[in-house]
Amino acid sequence: MTFEVPLIRVLEVLANEQRMDILRKLKSPSSFPPQDEGDPLLDGVCVSSIQAGQKLAFSTTSKYLTDLASVGLVTVKRSGKWSYYRRNEQAIKVLAKRLATEL
């Protein structure tokens, strides 16, 4: 996340319970169902595993992950037809500092 993303936009993304839950669970990738491809710790968690773990429609899961990525809180790694998501710990630290400074 860069400082170009308005803080209010980041807070809007985090104001959704499912997006917050996804972000929390990504801290421990094993909290999602096993995935067929890729290593959750190295590559990130596959969208289909996140979808199954959250019990959401694929389109909703994809939208929530896109929202989190748009403000830099997660990173995406694409491998063929698969997309893997991980928390962006550096961006989360920057956000915590911004909140402490701006509020």
Side-chain angles (χ1 to χ4, degrees), residues 30-47:
S30 62
S31 61
F32 291 103
Q35 55 195 47
D36 296 331
E37 302 286 330
D39 181 330
L41 294 175
L42 299 175
D43 301 314
V45 180
C46 182
V47 174

Side-chain angles (χ1 to χ4, degrees), residues 9-54:
R9 173 67 184 131
V10 178
L11 295 176
E12 287 171 348
V13 168
L14 291 176
N16 177 283
E17 188 175 334
Q18 285 285 342
R19 285 190 290 253
M20 282 289 292
D21 194 45
I22 291 168
L23 194 58
R24 275 192 295 270
K25 286 182 178 176
L26 283 173
K27 203 174 206 178
S28 301
S30 62
S31 61
F32 291 103
Q35 55 195 47
D36 296 331
E37 302 286 330
D39 181 330
L41 294 175
L42 299 175
D43 301 314
V45 180
C46 182
V47 174
S48 59
S49 291
I50 296 170
Q51 174 192 1
Q54 296 301 110

